[in-house]
Amino acid sequence: MNPTNPEPATVVPVVAHDPRRVALEAMARVAVEPTGIVGFATSGGVLVIGADEHAVAFAAGLPHPLKPMVVLLDAKTPAPAPRGLQVFEAQRHGFELDGHLGDFRARLRQGGEMAAFDLVVDFSSPPLFDEDWARLGYHAEKPAPGGNEALVQALVDEVGEFEKPRFFRYDPDLCVRGRSGLTGCNRCVEACPAGAITGLAERIEVDPYLCQGGGICATVCPGGALQYTYPGIADSVERLRRLVQAYVEAGGSDPELLIHDGEAAPDIASLPQNLLPYAVEEVPAVGMEFWLTALAFGVRAVHLDPSPRLAAASRRALEVQLSNTSALLEGLGFPPGAVGWRDEGGRNAMPAIQAAAYGAPGNKREILFMALDHLVSALPEAAPEVVELPANAPLGEILVDADRCTLCVSCATVCPRGAVTAEEGRPALVFFEARCVQCGLCEQACPEQAITLGPRLVTDRERRDLRRVLHEEVPFECVRCGKPFATRSSIEGVLARLEGHAMFDGEQQRQRLRMCGDCRVIDMMQEGGPM
């Protein structure tokens, strides 16, 4: 089980006037807001899943306090059950299993009730669960002639009461998962190595019992709806600030950062003196906003040193973050390879800049913009007005084709962050670029296919925060009372689509389409009936 206190203390060899030692001690003194606890309790109920007598023999040999039960999936021949051991047979395609340590649920008989187990041993091939990180209490194994002694001991050790940190916080108001049946973002679901995140219609659901603190969910979340809390981003940035600041104040120069898993600490004595180790629960728990903040604090290069535990999906997600970071740095005129994998080497060191000293707010988006704004201010020459970014970057604008747009405001209806809104009192779309995370919901919702995404960074903060009109039209006024009630393009579009329709072949019927709703009803009643 994971401990409840953030990052284990790093043992530092004592060297006379060692700026790195001073820096690590300063970082260790930063108080970190504690996170919640998730509890597990087990009493030894074990479900053993297999296909033949090996599963039965393994279950029969389990010691106290383990209490086994066996399910044979697609068994070719019946396996005799020793006295006192329950053995069930089932078809794999209809077998149901879900849950976590202390509360696994399985349907042993078709149509029967779900039975509860504390632990699961799965000898079936392929395993029933295929997450990159096995669920706590779930063991996908192959039968071994020696009896799987290590597995037996692991099961015995998992009987009792355990705790792990609650690694995340979720704010559904910031989530861009989806709206109105459209899906805009699936990043966290795809990247989670533990299978702890389920995508719902407009939100996600994170199972705290399945979550193992991979942190990649918070890193890929474009708007900060998922926040890592072990520690939180604000505390992580403050620890980083104190680390770099104390190192420089103690006489250190050219600091570089080594981000590593807390359980895979490097041999500090073997590291270059200017390489500052920074322990996290998992390397994917920090991403682009943290790396850029490190560069803003004066770090010359950032090295990522993940453990072998790093899942393939998490690495792919980090590669996207690295690509976006390189594009931002290169677009600003800095070395694009200042952040990367340690084992690849070849980091391009940042030039010396005036280090930022700001404290970090709790908002991921604000932290990202603060780092970028500081890097822009540190440029020796004027920054480019715009930096073009890859298609998956969470920064940018939306482009509206005025010839296609009818100002139906479907885009504003589905935007979860208020980046695009309908102007009150007149037909217009208003855009706030700083709010846009390029989720694409507006693009999907547009019935006229008038919207495209434009990933980019506007380097001027005031311009980025500016309210901007994307498209507007003169209101169409009711031909009877003069009240504005629609846009000219929408009325013209309706008339064009109904051209030649039998119900609208008369001028009077077509004229009613140019009336507001009230006048249309009045006109119909005066005529003596509906159209």
Side-chain angles (χ1 to χ4, degrees):
M1 297 296 136
N2 288 305
T4 58
N5 294 320
E7 288 81 20
T10 303
V11 178
V12 185
V14 178
V15 179
H17 190 63
D18 182 356
R20 181 167 59 191
R21 176 179 59 82
V22 173
L24 290 169
E25 290 175 351
M27 180 176 66
R29 289 193 294 270
V30 175
V32 174
E33 180 182 358
T35 185
I37 295 298
V38 178
F40 301 87
T42 67
S43 59
V46 183
L47 175 63
V48 180
I49 302 169
D52 51 33
E53 67 278 1
H54 293 293
V56 175
F58 174 82
L62 290 177
H64 181 79
L66 301 176
K67 299 178 284 292
M69 185 180 293
V70 179
V71 170
L72 298 178
L73 300 180
D74 301 334
K76 293 182 173 59
T77 57
R83 182 187 298 273
L85 178 65
Q86 289 184 289
V87 178
F88 296 86
E89 294 186 13
Q91 298 299 308
R92 184 185 179 97
H93 67 83
F95 183 68
E96 299 177 46
L97 177 68
D98 202 0
H100 53 79
L101 175 67
D103 191 24
F104 286 100
R105 302 276 173 168
R107 198 179 305 278
L108 305 178
R109 291 192 180 93
Q110 188 173 5
E113 295 184 357
M114 300 291 279
F117 301 90
D118 297 317
L119 307 164
V120 173
V121 175
D122 187 359
F123 290 127
S124 67
S125 181
L128 293 171
F129 294 138
D130 62 353
E131 294 98 355
D132 289 321
W133 290 358
R135 305 179 182 207
L136 299 177
Y138 174 78
H139 302 269
E141 300 277 347
K142 293 181 179 180
N148 299 85
E149 288 87 352
L151 172 58
V152 173
Q153 186 59 51
L155 294 171
V156 172
D157 292 343
E158 289 175 335
V159 177
E161 296 184 0
F162 309 94
E163 293 179 340
K164 73 177 181 68
R166 186 180 181 91
F167 293 104
F168 69 92
R169 183 183 300 118
Y170 175 57
D171 183 350
D173 291 336
L174 297 177
C175 184
V176 297
R177 162 72 182 175
R179 293 292 188 277
S180 302
L182 304 173
T183 300
C185 180
N186 204 41
R187 294 177 176 90
C188 61
V189 177
E190 294 173 348
C192 178
I197 305 177
T198 302
L200 307 178
E202 297 187 357
R203 297 288 186 267
I204 61 163
E205 184 176 86
V206 186
D207 189 331
Y209 294 96
L210 296 184
C211 175
Q212 297 183 45
I216 189 64
C217 58
T219 294
V220 300
C221 181
L226 272 170
Q227 303 171 53
Y228 197 69
T229 60
Y230 191 65
I233 181 63
D235 288 338
S236 295
V237 168
E238 180 58 21
R239 294 176 70 243
L240 173 64
R241 186 183 70 82
R242 285 299 305 136
L243 175 73
V244 180
Q245 186 179 66
Y247 173 78
V248 174
E249 290 175 351
S253 61
D254 299 329
E256 297 189 10
L257 191 68
L258 176 64
I259 301 175
H260 65 89
D261 291 352
E263 296 183 0
D267 178 10
I268 293 182
S270 67
L271 299 179
Q273 279 296 313
N274 69 327
L275 189 56
L276 307 178
Y278 186 98
V280 291
E281 180 71 11
E282 300 286 345
V283 167
V286 292
M288 180 168 63
E289 69 281 352
F290 184 85
W291 307 333
L292 290 171
T293 297
L295 301 182
F297 285 163
V299 167
R300 306 292 289 275
V302 177
H303 308 263
L304 309 183
D305 189 21
S307 70
R309 174 177 160 88
L310 180 67
S314 297
R315 188 176 185 105
R316 287 193 299 270
L318 279 183
E319 293 282 3
V320 173
Q321 294 272 309
L322 288 170
S323 175
N324 291 337
T325 301
S326 289
L328 282 165
L329 292 174
E330 187 172 17
L332 291 174
F334 291 114
V339 183
W341 303 107
R342 183 190 184 195
D343 56 9
E344 292 178 354
R347 298 279 68 76
N348 296 322
M350 289 280 288
I353 64 172
Q354 179 67 41
Y358 55 75
N363 184 299
K364 169 181 178 172
R365 191 97 173 151
E366 291 176 355
I367 291 172
L368 174 60
F369 282 137
M370 287 176 72
L372 288 169
D373 290 341
H374 182 80
L375 292 174
V376 167
S377 71
L379 289 170
E381 300 178 356
E385 293 184 3
V386 171
V387 175
E388 302 298 332
L389 296 176
N392 48 30
L395 304 170
E397 64 175 340
I398 64 173
L399 306 171
V400 175
D401 185 338
D403 294 332
R404 288 175 172 265
C405 178
T406 62
L407 289 171
C408 69
V409 304
S410 295
C411 53
T413 301
V414 300
C415 181
R417 297 182 58 85
V420 57
T421 63
E423 181 77 315
E424 188 173 348
R426 66 189 180 107
L429 289 177
V430 176
F431 183 64
F432 299 87
E433 186 155 344
R435 300 177 186 175
C436 182
V437 298
Q438 300 282 285
C439 67
L441 283 170
C442 58
E443 185 179 33
Q444 294 182 58
C446 180
E448 310 299 338
Q449 297 182 322
I451 293 178
T452 55
L453 304 180
R456 66 177 193 170
L457 168 69
V458 173
T459 57
D460 182 86
R461 187 181 188 95
E462 291 186 5
R463 178 182 166 191
R464 193 168 62 232
D465 292 337
L466 195 65
R467 170 187 173 279
R468 175 156 58 98
V469 176
L470 291 175
H471 179 51
E472 61 181 329
E473 290 186 21
V474 176
F476 186 88
E477 297 177 350
C478 174
V479 295
R480 180 175 180 135
C481 70
K483 180 178 70 175
F485 73 98
T487 65
R488 183 166 301 278
S489 61
S490 63
I491 296 299
E492 290 175 351
V494 170
L495 289 169
R497 282 191 287 272
L498 294 177
E499 185 72 36
H501 194 287
M503 293 183 64
F504 298 93
D505 57 356
E507 182 55 31
Q508 185 175 11
Q509 286 80 8
R510 295 178 65 81
Q511 189 71 346
R512 283 177 183 152
L513 296 175
R514 300 183 178 96
M515 298 178 188
C516 67
D518 293 339
C519 289
R520 192 175 304 131
V521 172
I522 293 172
D523 190 69
M524 289 163 55
M525 294 301 102
Q526 288 178 344
E527 187 65 21
M531 292 187 291

